Amino acid sequence: MNGTPRLRSAYPSTPQKANEPNGAEASGSLPRVPLPTLASTQQDPQAPLIPFNLVDGPQQRLYVAFFYLGLTVWRLCDYYGLVSDETDSLWLFMKWVAIDSIFLYGLPGLKIPWLRWSSTSITMLFIGHAIFDAVLMFRIPIPLETWLIAFTRIFYDRELAVSERRVKPANVLHNSSLILGKQIIHILPEGSATLNPNRTAFCIDSFMSSVNLPIQLNQTNPILIELLRVDLDTNLNETITIHAKEIRRLKKQAQKQPLGRDLAAPRYLQYPVKQTGLYRLQRVVDESKLEVQRRLSDTLVVQCPSAHIKTVTEPKCIGDLSDFYLQVDATPPINIKYSKLFNGQENGRASLSIPPKSPMSPLATQRSSGALVTRESVANVDVSWARSQSTRISLNESLSTSGRWQYLVDEVQDGCGNIVNYAKHREADSGKRHPTNAGPLEQRFSVHERPRVALRGCDSQHPLRVPKGKSIRLPVQLSSTGLDSAEQGTHHLSYLFTPSAEVLPNQEHGKAAVLEEFKLEPHAAGHEVYEPGLYTLQSVESAYCAGDVLEPSSCLLSNPPEPTLSIETQVIPDRCAGNSVGLLVDLDLTGTPPFRVSYTERRSGGPVTPRTVETHLLHTQLELRPAHSGHYRYEFQHISDAIYREPRSLRDERLSLEQDVKPPASARFLDAHPARKTCIGEPVSLGVQLLGDAPWKLEYELVHHGRRQKRKKDGIDNNIYTLTTDELSSGGEYSLALTAVTDKSGCKVSLEQETKIEVALQRPKAAFGLIEGQRTILALEDKKVNLPLRLQGESPWTIQYRNLDHAGEAPTTTLFKKTNDEIEVKEAGTYELVHVDDATCPGNVDAVANRFSVEWVPRPSVKVSESAAIELQQDRYVKKGVCEGDEDAVEIAFTGTPPFDVEYIHHVKPERGSQSTSSKKFSAGINLASVRMVTTEAGSHQYKISKLSDVSYGHDPRKFSPVVIEQRVHSTPMATFSDGGKTYKYCKEEEAGGENVPISLKGSPPFHLEVEIRHHSSSKPELVTIPNIETHQYNLHIPHRLLALGTHAVRIRKVRDANGCQRRMDQGAPHVQVNVAEVPGITAQESRTDYCVGDRISYTLSGSPPFNVFYTFQGQERKASASTTNFRRLAEKPGEFTITAITDQRSVDCKAHTSITKVIHEMPSVRVSKGRTATVDIHEGGEAEILFEFGGTPPFEFTYTRSSNPPRGKKSQVLDTKSDISYEHTKSVLASDEGIYEVVSIKDRFCAFSTQRVQGKSGQKLLT
């Protein structure tokens, strides 16, 4: 900012610090100067006394301002403490002159920026301060009040009027409503006539066969009008004559219009015409047989513009053109607006312009006048450019979106400005934006999607395969250009077909290819085909559009061979007995995998069992090994593959097998579980299934810790046998294995069947653990307590336990997974373990450690200590009432674990005012506490102990019942004067009487009151004691013996009520005074009795101000106050003003009655032309009447002027001044000169008023 130019009158800039980067060094226009060293800075004579690095410049100036403000406050304090001693005033004057000189002459030594004043400036400031000190200390009177009042009246000039409200004297003295109205007389110019002055466009058609041409007549009364018409088709002209009779009829029609009733306004005659053409006003003749001036203006009446659409009905497809045209008939240049709708929603608007064919058409150019033909005579003029021409407009737009399209003609406008709005007509006819039925003004068509076709799931690499003689639907997939699915409706498709024998090796069509067509109905799966060969799609068409063929479009249909089966067998012999135990069958298959072969199995004497073999191989083996001996027969019934899904019968091929089977002995465990678990000392039973011929002999062994025990069982006749071991007395893992089995054949077969048995090492056991060496716990109420468990055995354990304090309840069963787990409980009591089971075995509960006790820590509670001063009433404690301000407290006792935290709510319902609630807290370190009662406010006090907590428990509202203590605090009685500070005045003539002083009492009656009465000249007061006051309002009657002439001070000393509460009043409490005074007087300053509105009525008062003046005005009694001995009121309204009485400060209740009457007359008024501005138009030589209406008392003398009619923006000049007199309240004067007539002064019998000022005096005065 250092580079900113500064004015000469601006403050000097604040010096920059040496280390600031924005100083002179940062300026690009100044050379770089090295920073000064500290020594050079200290030697700078311009440096401030206090360096800027300690206090910057603005802050130093702020401190100086605060110091100067302190001096000023000190100076004013000395001023208010002055006494009348001149020596004291002189000493204060010398003191402040010295202080100002030290301050002003010492200020430049600080060298603070902006405060480095010159010696001349400081001397002038010192002289000014010395003069100010002299004015203050010597108490030189300055008429500040007079200056202030004069200055205030510039902005606020108000004065009390006789109606006792403040009014602005200027509004009364210069009342502009006294002279109202003026009359303007104009001399009318010559008349004129104009055809179609607003250049309105006109057209006719079949619906509107005629139009009215407006002819404007200004200040003329024609008797003949001639119109010239030029035909648009033949260019021939004709004259149309309108005679006086027709003109009178047209005038009557014009007078019916609103504007036609104004005689001063131009008249518009509406002349009807029914033919098109160019019309011109040729001649107008008025009543004086003279031609009226006419303006050259041409009006065209043409055929109304029209437009319609040449519609097309064929449907459209995506990518087609709209291909329709508009037919427009109108006078060029033409403008057409149309809109497009898509699916019922507006899709845009467009506008087309058609220029005229003739370049000389005046309608295509700007016109400055109303004439369309420049010649004065229109004979042989060519108006072919105004003829209506027919134009055909082609609309070709590319259709890229499918849906319902609609084109609507909204508006057509011709070159003359005639507009036909079809959109509004449609809304008016149908009540909606767009009609539902097509017409000549709209084009509708639907744009359809083009279909697409392709094959789905079949191409050159994936042919279709079907069984011989079966058909399949060609997988045709239809879609469209804009949708995944095709449009609804029948589609026509064609394909090229070549039989499989004629298909070329490269999978192309041969010469025998045939083109075939088919229809595809909606929701059809495809076209059904039978013959194998190559199918290729060629075309697709919907009901509206031709479509495209997409890839894949070719599909090969083939008939695979039927499936066949051949078998070979091989016997499976038994190695011990040599018998056959089954057959091994080789299956050889042909066809399309996977294969499904069905066969039956039948045992001699048994039922037929169907069986099925499925395989994906062309060669597989089937093993037929029955579990039971006997004769078996196998017959292969059916075969199917992936193509020939219907089973093909094999009975004709007689594929059957027979065998006699005798299977070897065998045995196996029924339960395939890998291992069993059991308890120690218990046996184990297992089920075994035996195969072969009974009886069987079973051999098995039991292995444990390396010791093997072999066992055998003979003579088993049942094929299901239960194997039971001995009692397992040792814990650990056992292995039970089936080693061999022998059946009836005597062949011993070795077995490899084995199962595991796990025996627990010991039975499970349960007991409670210890907490701090004991099975007892003291916990907080409702807190979760975890009781320790000690478990032995295999996880998980199922424990049953119960709470002995809740007799009759069923034991609780819980699952535990850890050996040192915990039981979670929430209730106090003695818990007992009832039963325990682990994962395998039932167990035992330790009888010594089967119980655990849970006890709760007691919750805190509170109780109020009852005494004679407090008692329990229902659910609350009520303490004896106390007086306001007395000390009181209540003792409360606690149970629980200290310290205690208490929160209580103090609710106060005062005797007056709104209720209040406050929350308070305190802590008690012992089981006893004292709560101090609040007695500072009278009313009902309630203390509700709402929250209590101790070291162990926080506050729980569900467990704690609040304790309520109530006490009534009686308010200290109060006695005040109802009108404190009021002065009760007594008249000297009425000393025998007396006046009551009202006193208001608050508290509980009866009251005891003590009052003090002191005379201003006596130091000893008189005391008056009033006992047993039963009401709250008391009228104090001051004994007359205690009153003397002068002023008395009456004060209340103390008051006591029925509750025993007493209040002693302060010395500075409000008091009343009793004054005995003389009667005041009033005298008028002027002897006259008649005044005008705007005059001031003045009186002189005698007595002790302030005064109360009683008077009547306009029949109403009023009261006014006067602070001085002068009483003046502005005469605001007319009426009779009578002073009736007066009182002063010493005799308010003693009126000095009088009767001084003044009559206030209204100001005369005049109204010209009913108080309005009237304009009268007369012809040259005519006269106009000017009506004057007066208000006031006759006779009336008035002066009026005639001024010029000034142009806009200029002042009028007075041309003539005339005076006249009227003895009535109205007067008429005839005037023939042009000008503005208005009254400038008016005078009646008593008063006068003028709008002109003479020699600075008001134009209002009283006439004598």
Side-chain angles (χ1 to χ4, degrees):
M1 296 296 293
N2 291 339
T4 304
R6 305 180 68 88
L7 299 174
R8 293 182 179 181
S9 59
Y11 287 108
S13 60
T14 302
Q16 302 291 329
K17 296 181 181 179
N19 56 356
E20 290 183 353
N22 295 329
E25 293 182 13
S27 176
S29 61
L30 298 177
R32 295 183 176 270
V33 180
L35 290 173
T37 61
L38 181 61
S40 62
T41 303
Q42 293 175 349
Q43 296 174 2
D44 186 4
Q46 298 297 327
L49 182 63
I50 301 174
F52 287 145
N53 55 3
L54 295 179
V55 182
D56 58 8
Q59 201 166 2
Q60 291 187 26
R61 291 192 291 272
L62 181 63
Y63 291 158
V64 171
F66 284 158
F67 183 75
Y68 182 77
L69 181 62
L71 292 178
T72 304
V73 173
W74 186 14
R75 190 195 323 267
L76 294 177
C77 290
D78 286 350
Y79 168 71
Y80 285 110
L82 277 177
V83 293
S84 58
D85 190 359
E86 291 294 334
T87 305
D88 192 23
S89 297
L90 178 61
W91 182 86
L92 288 177
F93 170 71
M94 296 174 63
K95 164 187 167 182
W96 280 106
V97 168
I99 292 175
D100 290 339
S101 64
I102 294 173
F103 174 76
L104 294 174
Y105 285 101
L107 186 60
L110 299 177
K111 298 181 180 179
I112 300 174
W114 297 4
L115 298 180
R116 299 173 182 174
W117 298 323
S118 63
S119 301
T120 305
S121 300
I122 294 175
T123 302
M124 296 300 295
L125 289 173
F126 173 72
I127 294 173
H129 280 70
I131 295 174
F132 181 66
D133 292 339
V135 171
L136 286 181
M137 303 311 162
F138 292 111
R139 306 176 75 175
I140 300 175
I142 298 177
L144 293 177
E145 183 178 358
T146 304
W147 297 346
L148 182 61
I149 293 175
F151 180 75
T152 305
R153 285 195 173 182
I154 298 176
F155 305 99
Y156 183 82
D157 185 12
R158 294 292 187 271
E159 191 173 336
L160 278 173
V162 292
S163 59
E164 286 304 314
R165 65 185 185 94
R166 292 192 174 273
V167 297
K168 194 173 183 179
N171 295 339
V172 180
L173 296 174
H174 309 290
N175 189 356
S176 59
S177 64
L178 297 177
I179 298 179
L180 295 176
K182 59 183 176 180
Q183 184 159 317
I184 304 174
I185 298 177
H186 285 295
I187 303 299
L188 293 177
E190 294 184 0
S192 62
T194 307
L195 176 64
N196 192 15
N198 298 326
R199 301 184 185 181
T200 306
F202 298 98
C203 69
I204 57 177
D205 55 11
S206 59
F207 298 99
M208 186 168 54
S209 59
S210 65
V211 294
N212 293 326
L213 298 182
I215 303 174
Q216 183 188 47
L217 302 177
N218 188 19
Q219 302 299 330
T220 184
N221 190 14
I223 60 174
L224 177 67
I225 299 176
E226 291 183 355
L227 294 176
L228 182 66
R229 171 184 170 271
V230 179
D231 191 86
L232 301 181
D233 296 327
T234 62
N235 290 334
L236 298 178
N237 59 73
E238 64 172 334
T239 301
I240 301 174
T241 303
I242 306 173
H243 297 284
K245 183 178 180 181
E246 181 70 12
I247 293 174
R248 286 193 299 270
R249 185 182 65 83
L250 296 177
K251 284 183 179 180
K252 290 180 180 180
Q253 294 178 356
Q255 289 177 355
K256 296 179 181 180
Q257 302 298 325
L259 295 178
R261 300 171 184 173
D262 190 356
L263 300 178
R267 294 184 181 181
Y268 288 87
L269 306 183
Q270 303 292 336
Y271 181 72
V273 297
K274 297 183 178 181
Q275 293 179 317
T276 61
L278 176 68
Y279 289 85
R280 174 177 289 183
L281 190 63
Q282 181 169 315
R283 191 163 71 102
V284 178
V285 179
D286 63 2
E287 294 175 338
S288 60
K289 307 298 183 180
L290 299 177
E291 288 194 14
V292 178
Q293 180 182 0
R294 54 187 173 82
R295 291 184 181 179
L296 188 60
S297 177
D298 296 333
T299 300
L300 271 177
V301 179
V302 298
Q303 287 289 335
C304 291
S306 64
H308 62 276
I309 296 177
K310 295 294 183 179
T311 60
V312 292
T313 58
E314 62 271 10
K316 303 292 182 180
C317 300
I318 292 292
D320 291 349
L321 299 177
S322 56
D323 192 22
F324 68 95
Y325 61 90
L326 300 174
Q327 184 74 30
V328 183
D329 298 319
T331 301
I334 308 170
N335 185 273
I336 305 171
K337 295 181 181 179
Y338 67 94
S339 58
K340 295 183 290 183
L341 279 76
F342 176 68
N343 290 336
Q345 301 295 327
E346 189 170 301
N347 194 39
R349 296 175 180 269
S351 178
L352 300 176
S353 297
I354 304 174
K357 296 181 180 179
S358 174
M360 303 303 293
S361 173
L363 300 177
T365 59
Q366 294 286 343
R367 292 183 292 136
S368 58
S369 65
L372 295 173
V373 181
T374 56
R375 304 181 195 175
E376 182 68 24
S377 174
V378 294
N380 300 323
V381 68
D382 184 11
V383 292
S384 59
W385 46 265
R387 299 170 187 167
S388 177
Q389 69 180 34
S390 180
T391 306
R392 180 174 178 176
I393 305 171
S394 179
L395 294 179
N396 276 325
E397 298 182 358
S398 178
L399 305 174
S400 59
T401 308
S402 62
R404 293 178 288 105
W405 287 86
Q406 187 177 6
Y407 288 77
L408 299 172
V409 178
D410 292 336
E411 182 182 288
V412 59
Q413 178 179 356
D414 63 5
C416 300
N418 296 297
I419 299 175
V420 177
N421 194 318
Y422 297 108
K424 291 184 178 179
H425 295 331
R426 283 195 296 270
E427 293 176 2
D429 294 342
S430 62
K432 53 187 177 181
R433 173 63 182 88
H434 305 298
T436 56
N437 299 322
L441 295 175
E442 59 182 291
Q443 169 67 55
R444 292 185 178 189
F445 49 78
S446 296
V447 179
H448 302 274
E449 299 283 349
R450 293 185 181 274
R452 291 178 176 177
V453 65
L455 296 177
R456 179 180 72 253
C458 180
D459 54 23
S460 59
Q461 301 299 326
H462 303 86
L464 292 178
R465 293 179 294 180
V466 296
K468 293 179 181 179
K470 299 292 183 180
S471 65
I472 191 173
R473 291 193 176 273
L474 200 63
V476 176
Q477 182 179 16
L478 289 172
S479 61
S480 61
T481 53
L483 303 170
D484 294 336
S485 60
E487 290 186 351
Q488 296 294 328
T490 303
H491 289 74
H492 298 267
L493 294 91
S494 65
Y495 63 88
L496 195 63
F497 170 68
T498 300
S500 58
E502 303 295 333
V503 176
L504 298 179
N506 60 352
Q507 298 295 317
E508 296 291 339
H509 290 278
K511 295 181 180 180
V514 178
L515 182 65
E516 296 185 5
E517 297 181 352
F518 66 93
K519 293 181 181 180
L520 194 62
E521 299 296 334
H523 306 295
H527 179 60
E528 191 172 11
V529 293
Y530 299 87
E531 298 184 37
L534 181 62
Y535 293 83
T536 302
L537 296 174
Q538 297 295 315
S539 65
V540 60
E541 291 183 1
S542 66
Y544 308 101
C545 306
D548 302 325
V549 178
L550 306 179
E551 293 297 332
S553 61
S554 297
C555 181
L556 182 63
L557 179 63
S558 63
N559 298 134
E562 296 180 350
T564 61
L565 171 66
S566 61
I567 59 175
E568 293 181 1
T569 62
Q570 183 180 353
V571 177
I572 303 174
D574 184 4
R575 290 178 297 176
C576 175
N579 298 326
S580 173
V581 297
L583 288 176
L584 190 63
V585 183
D586 293 330
L587 302 179
D588 294 320
L589 303 164
T590 61
T592 305
F595 300 96
R596 182 183 179 90
V597 179
S598 301
Y599 67 95
T600 60
E601 176 186 277
R602 182 175 183 180
R603 183 184 178 186
S604 58
V608 176
T609 303
R611 301 192 183 278
T612 302
V613 177
E614 295 183 0
T615 180
H616 288 77
L617 304 176
L618 297 176
H619 177 79
T620 186
Q621 283 187 334
L622 176 63
E623 186 178 283
L624 303 176
R625 187 187 292 236
H628 303 279
S629 61
H631 180 77
Y632 289 86
R633 179 180 175 81
Y634 304 91
E635 291 184 1
F636 290 91
Q637 301 289 331
H638 303 91
I639 185 173
S640 63
D641 63 0
I643 303 301
Y644 297 86
R645 297 182 181 275
E646 295 183 1
R648 177 175 168 269
S649 178
L650 297 176
R651 293 180 180 179
D652 296 339
E653 300 182 14
R654 297 180 179 179
L655 299 177
S656 63
L657 299 174
E658 293 185 7
Q659 68 169 343
D660 292 322
V661 177
K662 197 172 186 178
S666 179
R668 66 181 183 87
F669 289 111
L670 290 177
D671 189 358
H673 197 275
R676 285 182 172 272
K677 294 182 179 180
T678 186
C679 300
I680 190 170
E682 295 181 356
V684 177
S685 297
L686 299 172
V688 179
Q689 183 183 20
L690 300 172
L691 302 176
D693 295 331
W696 290 275
K697 181 175 70 175
L698 181 63
E699 298 179 11
Y700 63 94
E701 60 183 11
L702 186 64
V703 182
H704 177 61
H705 289 172
R707 292 181 297 176
R708 189 181 302 271
Q709 298 178 5
K710 294 185 178 182
R711 300 283 191 273
K712 66 172 61 175
K713 181 66 176 178
D714 297 331
I716 302 174
D717 295 328
N718 196 348
N719 63 339
I720 301 298
Y721 172 69
T722 300
L723 179 62
T724 303
T725 66
D726 298 334
E727 291 184 358
L728 305 178
S729 58
S730 300
E733 184 180 75
Y734 289 80
S735 295
L736 181 62
L738 303 178
T739 57
V741 65
T742 304
D743 64 353
K744 182 179 179 181
S745 64
C747 291
K748 183 178 181 179
V749 179
S750 299
L751 301 176
E752 295 180 354
Q753 289 286 323
E754 183 179 353
T755 185
K756 299 290 184 181
I757 302 173
E758 293 183 3
V759 180
L761 297 176
Q762 63 178 4
R763 287 190 177 274
K765 186 177 180 181
F768 279 118
L770 299 175
I771 297 179
E772 297 180 357
Q774 56 184 359
R775 292 184 179 88
T776 302
I777 186 172
L778 190 63
L780 297 179
E781 185 178 353
D782 294 337
K783 296 294 184 182
K784 295 180 181 178
V785 179
N786 294 324
L787 307 182
L789 282 177
R790 301 296 179 260
L791 304 174
Q792 296 178 5
E794 184 179 355
S795 177
W797 292 267
T798 302
I799 303 294
Q800 290 184 355
Y801 63 93
R802 62 187 175 185
N803 189 342
L804 297 179
D805 293 351
H806 297 170
E809 290 187 359
T812 303
T813 303
T814 308
L815 189 67
F816 298 93
K817 296 182 178 180
K818 297 184 294 183
T819 58
N820 296 302
D821 218 322
E822 295 176 338
I823 295 179
E824 185 180 276
V825 297
K826 296 182 179 180
E827 296 180 354
T830 300
Y831 290 87
E832 181 185 38
L833 298 178
V834 179
H835 184 71
V836 60
D837 292 329
D838 66 356
T840 305
C841 306
N844 302 318
V845 176
D846 190 348
V848 178
N850 65 336
R851 293 185 179 183
F852 205 109
S853 298
V854 178
E855 297 178 0
W856 296 142
V857 176
R859 284 186 170 273
S861 62
V862 63
K863 183 179 180 182
V864 179
S865 301
E866 296 188 35
S867 63
I870 186 169
E871 60 180 0
L872 179 64
Q873 296 181 2
Q874 295 181 352
D875 59 344
R876 60 193 61 204
Y877 293 91
V878 178
K879 190 168 175 53
K880 185 178 180 181
V882 294
C883 294
E884 184 178 1
D886 293 350
E887 294 290 336
D888 197 10
V890 64
E891 298 290 336
I892 57 177
F894 302 100
T895 59
T897 306
F900 301 93
D901 293 328
V902 184
E903 181 176 347
Y904 65 92
I905 299 173
H906 179 207
H907 180 77
V908 182
K909 185 177 181 182
E911 295 178 352
R912 292 177 300 277
S914 59
Q915 303 181 20
S916 64
T917 303
S918 61
S919 180
K920 299 182 181 180
K921 300 178 181 179
F922 68 91
S923 296
I926 59 175
N927 294 71
L928 191 63
S930 177
V931 178
R932 185 178 180 182
M933 314 299 280
V934 178
T935 60
T936 56
E937 186 175 6
S940 177
H941 291 252
Q942 184 188 77
Y943 304 85
K944 182 179 180 181
I945 301 177
S946 58
K947 294 182 180 180
L948 175 64
S949 61
D950 61 0
V951 172
S952 301
Y953 291 95
H955 175 70
D956 188 351
R958 298 172 300 176
K959 305 291 184 179
F960 178 74
S961 297
V963 177
V964 178
I965 304 171
E966 292 183 350
Q967 185 181 38
R968 179 73 182 181
V969 178
H970 302 293
S971 61
T972 55
M974 185 68 183
T976 58
F977 291 105
S978 299
D979 298 322
K982 180 179 178 181
T983 300
Y984 294 87
K985 298 180 180 181
Y986 290 79
C987 300
K988 187 176 181 180
E989 293 80 0
E990 299 179 5
E991 289 181 353
E995 189 175 10
N996 293 330
V997 178
I999 298 177
S1000 298
L1001 299 167
K1002 296 181 181 179
S1004 299
F1007 299 96
H1008 183 88
L1009 188 65
E1010 185 176 312
V1011 179
E1012 172 188 300
I1013 303 173
R1014 185 191 301 270
H1015 192 270
H1016 69 91
S1017 61
S1018 175
S1019 59
K1020 182 179 179 181
E1022 299 287 345
L1023 299 180
V1024 178
T1025 301
I1026 306 137
N1028 299 324
I1029 301 176
E1030 297 293 342
T1031 62
H1032 290 85
Q1033 291 290 334
Y1034 179 73
N1035 292 323
L1036 175 62
H1037 179 74
I1038 302 176
H1040 190 267
R1041 57 184 174 78
L1042 302 177
L1043 298 177
L1045 186 62
T1047 303
H1048 302 76
V1050 181
R1051 186 175 67 87
I1052 300 174
R1053 297 190 66 175
K1054 63 181 179 180
V1055 62
R1056 185 175 68 248
D1057 65 356
N1059 294 322
C1061 300
Q1062 178 175 304
R1063 181 192 295 267
R1064 184 175 294 275
M1065 303 300 175
D1066 298 333
Q1067 290 292 333
H1071 63 280
V1072 297
Q1073 291 184 348
V1074 176
N1075 187 23
V1076 179
E1078 297 289 342
V1079 177
I1082 183 170
T1083 305
Q1085 294 184 358
E1086 296 179 303
S1087 59
R1088 60 177 177 145
T1089 59
D1090 293 319
Y1091 289 82
C1092 295
V1093 172
D1095 292 343
R1096 292 172 176 83
I1097 306 174
S1098 300
Y1099 299 89
T1100 300
L1101 308 177
S1102 61
S1104 299
F1107 299 90
N1108 290 328
V1109 180
F1110 299 87
Y1111 63 91
T1112 58
F1113 179 69
Q1114 293 183 340
Q1116 294 183 0
E1117 295 184 357
R1118 303 175 187 265
K1119 177 182 177 181
S1121 298
S1123 58
T1124 64
T1125 57
N1126 290 325
F1127 177 72
R1128 187 177 71 170
R1129 287 295 183 266
L1130 179 67
E1132 175 195 10
K1133 300 177 180 179
E1136 189 173 282
F1137 182 80
T1138 303
I1139 302 293
T1140 59
I1142 182 175
T1143 62
D1144 64 355
Q1145 183 182 9
R1146 294 175 300 178
S1147 58
V1148 176
D1149 297 329
C1150 301
K1151 296 182 181 179
H1153 295 278
T1154 184
S1155 179
I1156 304 176
T1157 301
K1158 306 290 184 180
V1159 179
I1160 303 173
H1161 300 278
E1162 66 174 349
M1163 296 298 296
S1165 62
V1166 60
R1167 282 164 176 74
V1168 182
S1169 301
K1170 303 294 183 179
R1172 299 188 300 269
T1173 300
T1175 302
V1176 179
D1177 297 328
I1178 61 175
H1179 291 283
E1180 189 72 29
E1183 289 183 339
E1185 182 183 13
I1186 304 174
L1187 176 64
F1188 298 93
E1189 297 175 314
F1190 304 100
T1193 304
F1196 301 97
E1197 297 181 12
F1198 63 98
T1199 302
Y1200 62 95
T1201 62
R1202 180 176 68 89
S1203 305
S1204 61
N1205 291 324
R1208 184 184 298 273
K1210 294 186 179 180
K1211 294 183 178 180
S1212 62
Q1213 296 181 355
V1214 177
L1215 303 178
D1216 192 8
T1217 302
K1218 294 183 179 180
S1219 297
D1220 205 342
I1221 188 170
S1222 174
Y1223 295 95
E1224 304 293 336
H1225 284 84
T1226 59
K1227 187 177 182 66
S1228 297
V1229 176
L1230 296 177
S1232 60
D1233 296 330
E1234 185 177 45
I1236 302 173
Y1237 292 82
E1238 54 187 342
V1239 177
V1240 295
S1241 65
I1242 178 67
K1243 181 175 66 174
D1244 68 350
R1245 180 179 178 183
F1246 297 101
C1247 305
F1249 177 78
S1250 174
T1251 58
Q1252 299 176 342
R1253 289 175 172 262
V1254 181
Q1255 295 180 358
K1257 296 184 179 179
S1258 173
Q1260 174 178 309
K1261 63 179 181 178
L1262 174 69
L1263 301 179
T1264 57

